[in-house]
């Protein structure tokens, strides 16, 4: 434990001082400086962010955060009054300079104005923890830095720097403690939230642990991207049913705009940040991430149980749906996420003529608003032309548990 190492330090410090006459005027200060350096490093590393600020932070919106000083209960118990911890916004450039100086530099200027940004570092006698809890913090405004090339404000990363100076007893040794939060994207309008989330997701998923703030790769292996999308989907929707191999194949075709490559071909490719959330998808007005995030939101709000019961294929192209359904009996249908609209689910079904010919139709996509008025299960029940869920499950068997029971009773 950290505390026992501090005890070792104090014992060592006493032994050095006791032997000061033998060590001599030249060796003593050098030895004390080295011992103090070890203590300083140990103390600084025990100052941590316990509760991170939101990584997408809107100005004029209150948020909470907390820092913890692991060695505080032991080192600060003799302090007459609590030390104060300060929270300041810093740019990526400032964060980088602080990290490269091993947090020995002191911040000269905050990049944003934070209200209620000074809080006492207090020890809780019950839990024995030493924390500073920022409960009512508000980022009043942000000072933007110069951006590189085509970089947008939602690609600009900053952080909250928490800092304080403590004096350690019994040696009256002063240490300046500083710790950075995870990278934050500051927004001023709700319509920037989607793109800000993309920046945060890319950074969290693909940054190296010991990086210089906040450097992250511009290209990553497609397989890593698949893992990221799957984890994000399961966490957001709160389901145990993740994405399948055929889903990844469809997503690869979409992000790479390539319908001729095989699943194996895609596995060896890398995907760029631009392909993820800068380049507009062909024939659309949105990026890959904007489309995928729309699917996440719709599924989380309206389709969680259907997805978890594997009633929605979802990630499948209109062309492949036609191929699947064209040979099926009349009334066979499946559910796919809309390609043309953000946050829509559509029902594709086959209509077979008397001459045996088939036609696959896609019903106008349902949005979250539509499904909040009448559920997907009840809409499927209403449509008499829908008979069997692909490949061959009677619709009442597949969706019966999702029908509105009151409506069933009336019918």
């Amino acid at each position: 434990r950290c505390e026992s190492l501090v005890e070792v330090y104090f014992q060592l410090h006493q032994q050095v001082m006791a032997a000061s006459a033998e060590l001599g005027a030249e060796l003593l200060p050098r030895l004390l400086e080295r011992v103090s350096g070890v203590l300083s490093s140990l103390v600084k590393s025990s100052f941590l962010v316990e509760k991170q600020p939101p990584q997408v932070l809107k100005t004029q919106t209150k948020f909470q955060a907390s820092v913890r000083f692991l060695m505080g209960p032991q080192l600060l118990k003799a302090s007459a009054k609590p030390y104060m911890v300060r929270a300041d916004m810093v740019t990526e450039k400032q964060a980088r300079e602080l990290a490269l100086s091993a947090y020995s530099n002191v911040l000269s200027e905050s990049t944003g104005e934070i209200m209620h940004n000074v809080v006492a570092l207090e020890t809780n006698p019950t839990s024995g923890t030493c924390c500073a809890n920022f409960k009512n913090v508000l980022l009043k405004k942000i000072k933007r830095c110069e951006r590189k090339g085509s970089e947008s404000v939602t690609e600009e990363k900053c952080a909250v720097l928490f800092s304080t100076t403590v004096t350690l007893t019994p040696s009256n040794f002063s240490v300046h403690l500083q710790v950075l939060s995870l990278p934050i994207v500051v927004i001023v309008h709700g319509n920037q939230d989607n793109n800000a989330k993309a920046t945060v997701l890319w950074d969290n998923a693909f940054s190296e642990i010991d990086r210089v703030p906040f450097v992250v790769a511009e290209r990553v292996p497609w397989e890593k991207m698949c893992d990221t999308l799957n984890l994000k989907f399961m966490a957001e929707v709160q389901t145990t049913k993740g994405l399948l191999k055929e889903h990844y194949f469809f997503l690869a075709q979409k992000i790479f705009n390539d319908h001729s490559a095989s699943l194996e071909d895609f596995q060896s490719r890398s995907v760029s940040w631009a392909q993820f959330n800068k380049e507009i998808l062909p024939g659309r007005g949105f990026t890959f991430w904007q489309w995928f995030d729309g699917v996440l939101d719709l599924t989380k709000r309206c389709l969680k149980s259907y997805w978890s019961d594997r009633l929605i294929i979802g990630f499948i192209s209109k062309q492949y749906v036609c191929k699947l359904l064209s040979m099926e009996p009349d009334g066979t249908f499946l559910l796919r996420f809309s390609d043309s609209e953000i946050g829509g689910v559509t029902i594709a079904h086959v209509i077979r003529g008397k001459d045996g010919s088939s036609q696959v139709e896609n019903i106008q996509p349902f949005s979250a608003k539509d499904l909040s008025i009448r559920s997907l299960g009840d809409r499927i029940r209403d449509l008499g032309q829908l008979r069997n869920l692909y490949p061959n499950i009677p619709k009442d068997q597949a969706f019966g548990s999702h029908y509105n029971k009151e409506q069933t009773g009336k019918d």
Side-chain angles (χ1 to χ4, degrees):
R1 289 171 63 88
C2 295
E3 290 91 335
S4 57
L5 290 173
V6 174
E7 288 298 335
V8 169
Y9 161 78
F10 285 131
Q11 290 170 15
L12 189 59
H13 187 272
Q14 287 172 347
Q15 289 168 359
V16 169
M17 293 307 292
S20 57
E22 297 154 47
L23 290 168
E26 189 180 333
L27 186 56
L28 178 64
R30 280 166 50 199
L31 194 54
L32 284 173
E33 184 182 352
R34 191 167 176 185
V35 170
S36 296
V38 171
L39 176 66
S40 177
S41 176
L42 180 65
V43 170
K44 285 178 180 179
S45 66
S46 78
F47 189 56
L48 311 168
V49 181
E50 185 171 57
K51 181 179 181 179
Q52 294 284 347
Q55 284 191 269
V56 176
L57 185 58
K58 190 170 180 285
T59 54
Q60 302 295 340
T61 304
K62 288 181 180 178
F63 68 94
Q64 297 184 346
S66 67
V67 290
R68 184 170 171 182
F69 186 25
L70 296 178
M71 296 165 69
Q74 183 191 15
L75 295 181
L76 307 182
K77 59 188 173 187
S79 175
K81 60 178 183 178
Y83 291 98
M84 305 308 286
V85 180
R86 182 184 173 90
D88 290 289
M89 292 299 296
V90 294
T91 63
E92 182 172 344
K93 182 173 181 285
Q94 288 173 314
R96 189 172 298 139
E97 287 167 355
L98 279 164
L100 292 173
S101 74
Y103 297 95
S104 59
N105 287 358
V106 177
L107 183 68
S108 57
E109 182 187 12
S110 178
T111 191
E113 186 181 342
I114 301 180
M115 309 293 289
H116 314 298
N117 68 327
V118 178
V119 171
L121 186 62
E122 297 174 316
T123 300
N124 183 318
T126 310
S127 63
T129 57
C130 182
C131 298
N133 295 304
F134 293 81
K135 294 178 181 176
N136 259 327
V137 203
L138 182 139
L139 178 60
K140 192 173 180 183
K141 59 184 178 183
I142 186 76
K143 188 163 64 178
R144 300 288 186 189
C145 12
E146 287 184 24
R147 289 183 292 280
K148 300 165 275 187
S150 63
E151 189 179 71
S152 70
V153 292
T154 55
E155 293 173 82
E156 186 183 320
K157 289 176 273 192
C158 52
V160 176
L161 175 71
F162 298 97
S163 61
T164 187
T165 300
V166 297
T167 302
L168 309 181
T169 51
S171 58
N172 285 330
F173 180 59
S174 209
V175 185
H176 188 56
L177 305 177
Q178 299 187 106
V179 64
L180 281 172
S181 72
L182 291 173
I184 291 168
V185 177
V186 175
I187 61 173
V188 294
H189 299 294
N191 60 8
Q192 296 173 314
D193 183 70
N194 178 283
N195 291 325
K197 285 193 294 186
T199 300
V200 167
L201 179 65
W202 186 279
D203 192 274
N204 288 348
F206 306 124
S207 57
E208 300 292 333
I209 292 173
D210 294 323
R211 64 166 170 179
V212 173
F214 293 113
V215 176
V216 65
E218 279 290 317
R219 299 189 74 87
V220 296
W222 171 243
E223 282 190 307
K224 270 193 174 183
M225 175 58 78
C226 289
D227 291 340
T228 298
L229 294 175
N230 183 47
L231 289 171
K232 181 68 175 172
F233 189 93
M234 291 173 72
E236 282 287 320
V237 177
Q238 294 189 312
T239 179
T240 56
K241 298 297 195 306
L243 304 181
L244 304 174
K245 191 163 62 173
E246 51 267 33
H247 297 148
Y248 296 134
F249 185 46
F250 165 75
L251 293 170
Q253 289 178 322
K254 196 172 193 69
I255 202 167
F256 293 115
N257 188 30
D258 185 345
H259 296 273
S260 60
S262 67
L263 183 64
E264 290 70 31
D265 291 335
F266 287 130
Q267 285 173 343
S268 61
R269 291 194 191 180
S270 62
V271 62
S272 68
W273 161 250
Q275 288 169 313
F276 182 64
N277 195 46
K278 282 186 84 72
E279 296 168 2
I280 301 297
L281 292 173
R284 307 294 179 212
F286 43 81
T287 65
F288 174 86
W289 164 254
Q290 288 164 355
W291 173 84
F292 187 81
D293 189 48
V295 167
L296 280 182
D297 186 61
L298 175 72
T299 310
K300 175 173 66 176
R301 288 166 62 185
C302 307
L303 305 174
K304 176 183 173 180
S305 58
Y306 302 92
W307 175 270
S308 296
D309 288 346
R310 289 294 189 207
L311 300 174
I312 299 175
I313 294 179
F315 299 103
I316 184 170
S317 68
K318 189 182 281 190
Q319 295 76 12
Y320 191 52
V321 166
C322 286
K323 185 179 173 184
L324 284 182
L325 294 183
S326 59
M327 302 303 289
E328 296 299 322
D330 185 68
T332 303
F333 69 98
L334 57 76
L335 299 160
R336 52 176 284 272
F337 297 122
S338 173
D339 268 328
S340 57
E341 294 183 19
I342 290 179
V345 63
T346 188
I347 302 171
H349 63 104
V350 63
I351 300 169
R352 195 163 288 284
K354 290 179 182 177
D355 60 353
S357 62
S358 66
Q359 180 185 341
V360 175
E361 285 201 359
N362 288 272
I363 293 170
Q364 177 71 22
F366 301 118
S367 66
K369 185 179 178 182
D370 297 327
L371 298 177
S372 68
I373 296 167
R374 187 156 179 77
S375 73
L376 180 64
D378 287 339
R379 288 178 185 274
I380 288 170
R381 189 168 171 273
D382 294 342
L383 296 167
Q385 69 269 40
L386 306 181
R387 296 177 186 171
N388 294 316
L389 179 67
Y390 180 85
N392 189 26
I393 308 168
K395 75 172 182 183
D396 289 346
Q397 181 184 323
F399 291 92
S401 63
H402 299 275
Y403 294 161
N404 183 311
K405 297 297 184 285
E406 287 180 23
Q407 189 68 37
T408 305
K410 287 175 189 174
D411 292 352

